[in-house]
Amino acid sequence: MTKMIVFDLDGVLIDSRENMKVSWQQVNKKLNFGVKFSDYFRNIGRPFEDVLKEIGIKRNINEAKKIFRIKSIKNFNLINTYPGVKYTIEKLKKKGFILAVLTSKERSRTLKLLKRFDLNFKYVQCPIPGKKGKPNPFLLNKLLGKTGKKRKNTFYIGDTYTDYKFAMNSGINFIFCKYGYGKITLKKVKKIGKIKDLLNVFSKL
């Protein structure tokens, strides 16, 4: 049975930390939230609105989202892919795996970034307004409905504890990227040090 590999975006395929930092600084400057980037960054992996709620921000959410998005697009030059990303994706495609992206980043920026780095995926699942994001399994269920793949043959590649909880809530396999933004100490979790390690992992499955 063909396996599906689902990638998170930030911290797995792209390093966007500096982009997020300057974007958050602009939000703070315009709206006077007074929240350090480190506090914002500690909660990434969820939809932007959920991150704001997590750090105690309940006002000007739509305006903050707009400011963040505009600044992020303006500074796309601060974003790079991790070493070996395109090579690994192309190799996995040739081996017959179904590849998808499932991210908390809104769709327009996600598609712009994938196009910028020439990363082509058959399926791209982004947050849906009014619906729950990670770690709720809704988005994964939506993706499975499109692909017809079974949970036991689906793998989520993530870099935060939120991603791990998302995979567990969704009933799918999980692989943790140690080079990303988060930390997981659970010994039972499969971990990789660089994205090319996936080629070895999936050659044994």
Side-chain angles (χ1 to χ4, degrees):
M1 181 66 70
T2 304
K3 294 176 173 58
M4 179 166 70
I5 307 172
V6 186
F7 294 88
D8 183 25
L9 185 60
D10 299 89
V12 174
L13 300 179
I14 63 171
D15 184 0
S16 55
R17 181 170 182 149
E18 284 304 308
N19 178 277
M20 284 189 270
K21 185 175 182 179
V22 298
S23 300
W24 183 251
Q25 287 172 339
Q26 185 73 358
V27 170
N28 260 334
K29 180 180 178 181
K30 294 286 187 180
L31 300 178
N32 196 31
F33 283 156
V35 177
K36 296 179 180 178
F37 174 68
S38 58
D39 294 328
Y40 169 84
F41 191 73
R42 192 178 299 118
N43 290 279
I44 63 168
R46 312 174 187 209
F48 186 79
E49 299 92 331
D50 292 349
V51 173
L52 294 193
K53 293 176 183 177
E54 195 69 23
I55 57 181
I57 295 175
K58 299 179 181 179
R59 61 180 176 88
N60 301 121
I61 290 178
N62 288 334
E63 189 174 355
K65 187 175 181 179
K66 181 179 179 181
I67 294 169
F68 191 97
R69 179 181 180 277
I70 291 172
K71 192 68 173 178
S72 173
I73 293 173
K74 185 177 180 180
N75 289 281
F76 267 2
N77 62 299
L78 296 177
I79 300 175
N80 291 294
T81 58
Y82 287 101
V85 163
K86 187 166 178 60
Y87 173 85
T88 301
I89 288 171
E90 293 305 317
K91 283 288 186 180
L92 290 171
K93 279 183 183 177
K94 288 180 180 179
K95 290 179 180 293
F97 293 100
I98 302 298
L99 303 185
V101 166
L102 191 154
T103 175
S104 292
K105 191 182 294 295
E106 48 99 6
R107 190 169 185 83
S108 62
R109 278 189 296 145
T110 296
L111 296 179
K112 286 177 184 293
L113 285 166
L114 293 177
K115 182 177 180 180
R116 178 184 179 88
F117 295 114
D118 193 25
L119 301 176
N120 300 305
F121 289 86
K122 187 170 184 178
Y123 301 99
V124 178
Q125 183 65 60
C126 297
I128 298 173
K131 302 297 183 180
K132 292 185 177 181
K134 294 188 294 184
N136 186 282
F138 173 81
L139 292 178
L140 192 281
N141 293 337
K142 192 78 173 174
L143 179 62
L144 291 180
K146 296 176 184 177
T147 65
K149 303 306 296 181
K150 295 187 179 298
R151 296 176 194 277
K152 66 179 181 179
N153 294 317
T154 301
F155 294 75
Y156 192 61
I157 317 300
D159 69 306
T160 65
Y161 187 70
T162 295
D163 292 334
Y164 167 73
K165 288 199 298 181
F166 170 66
M168 296 303 99
N169 290 342
S170 301
I172 60 175
N173 304 285
F174 179 70
I175 298 175
F176 178 70
C177 299
K178 295 191 292 183
Y179 59 82
Y181 301 148
K183 292 182 179 180
I184 287 182
T185 57
L186 297 171
K187 293 183 179 179
K188 64 180 180 179
V189 175
K190 178 69 178 178
K191 304 176 181 71
I192 58 171
K194 56 184 182 297
I195 196 164
K196 283 185 178 180
D197 291 344
L198 288 177
L199 298 177
N200 184 50
V201 170
F202 285 103
S203 69
K204 298 176 181 180
L205 296 177

